[in-house]
Amino acid sequence: FRLKLIKKEKKDDYRLTELGKKLLKEEIKFEDVFRKIMLSEEDIKEYPYRTVLKILLKSDKFNFLQFLYGIYTLQDSNINSIERSINIINELSKYNYNVLVAKKENRIKILKTLNEKYGFNFTDEDLIMKTTIGNQFKYLGGHLSLFGDEIRYNLKEKIIAVKNKEKLKRLLKK
């Protein structure tokens, strides 16, 4: 349903959409379908991509720590939420994620400080990507890497970044 490849006709009756039929006949690639859906929807819970691309356009990049507090916590995609997210990402840019997580004592202190500052209750496991939040970052990076001309995803460095700002602007105007 999410990719709009099938639709429900009746209680237990499902049909391929026109897009689904094209994919089945190999007239279009799955990646093209997924890119189209990522750009056409703006539901923060199911389709966060367009909102995240807007944030990237303003912030240029974010690491996992910035994702955790600035993007994962988004409740909606209105302009105030986007601005708040960008502000958090900018505030947290002083932290090098890989250095931060290297020593448990440091990370526990910083985690406590950030949880108090931003009003969340993330755990050490969250911060070191051992929970579903880490998986969501990886999925987001993998999905956004389908926009290879516009976005760069580096899992080792835990960074999602703009590769070409002009192309990203054009992409968001579509």
Side-chain angles (χ1 to χ4, degrees):
F1 291 116
R2 287 185 187 175
L3 294 179
K4 304 189 187 320
L5 300 173
I6 58 173
K7 62 182 173 184
K8 189 173 186 173
E9 295 286 324
K10 297 177 188 164
K11 184 178 179 185
D12 292 323
D13 187 24
Y14 298 89
R15 302 272 182 217
L16 285 175
T17 63
E18 288 306 310
L19 195 58
K21 290 174 186 175
K22 286 182 179 182
L23 183 62
L24 182 65
K25 293 178 188 173
E26 297 180 357
E27 293 173 6
I28 54 174
K29 293 180 182 177
F30 174 77
E31 291 81 4
D32 295 333
V33 171
F34 196 31
R35 276 193 293 267
K36 180 181 179 185
I37 296 299
M38 282 194 285
L39 290 174
S40 66
E41 300 289 336
E42 202 158 355
D43 172 348
I44 196 67
K45 297 297 178 200
E46 301 292 328
Y47 302 97
Y49 312 102
R50 190 169 187 80
T51 301
V52 171
L53 290 171
K54 288 177 182 178
I55 292 167
L56 274 169
L57 197 57
K58 300 272 185 166
S59 64
D60 293 324
K61 67 179 179 177
F62 58 82
N63 62 31
F64 180 70
L65 181 68
Q66 293 163 310
F67 166 82
L68 185 64
Y69 286 95
I71 294 176
Y72 178 77
T73 58
L74 279 169
Q75 297 299 309
D76 55 55
S77 57
N78 70 42
I79 191 69
N80 292 334
S81 295
I82 290 173
E83 288 300 321
R84 181 177 185 275
S85 177
I86 292 165
N87 289 337
I88 291 171
I89 288 169
N90 290 337
E91 289 172 11
L92 296 178
S93 65
K94 65 184 173 187
Y95 295 103
N96 178 316
Y97 174 77
N98 292 327
V99 171
L100 170 70
V101 297
K103 291 194 175 190
K104 187 170 184 170
E105 311 83 56
N106 292 343
R107 96 175 161 244
I108 297 297
K109 256 192 273 184
I110 291 170
L111 186 64
K112 184 175 187 268
T113 301
L114 295 177
N115 278 340
E116 287 173 5
K117 179 175 183 170
Y118 297 115
F120 297 108
N121 196 25
F122 292 118
T123 66
D124 187 50
E125 280 72 35
D126 293 329
L127 187 60
I128 58 173
M129 299 178 73
K130 297 289 184 191
T131 63
T132 58
I133 301 169
N135 291 338
Q136 289 183 26
F137 178 80
K138 293 172 192 173
Y139 291 139
L140 178 67
H143 294 167
L144 291 179
S145 69
L146 290 174
F147 300 106
D149 290 342
E150 297 85 4
I151 302 296
R152 179 179 56 85
Y153 170 52
N154 184 324
L155 179 57
K156 184 179 179 189
E157 295 293 320
K158 315 286 188 286
I159 290 176
I160 300 173
V162 174
K163 187 188 282 184
N164 186 313
K165 202 169 225 176
E166 288 309 311
K167 285 186 177 184
L168 181 55
K169 284 180 189 177
R170 285 194 299 273
L171 189 67
L172 287 170
K173 286 183 181 179
K174 290 182 179 180

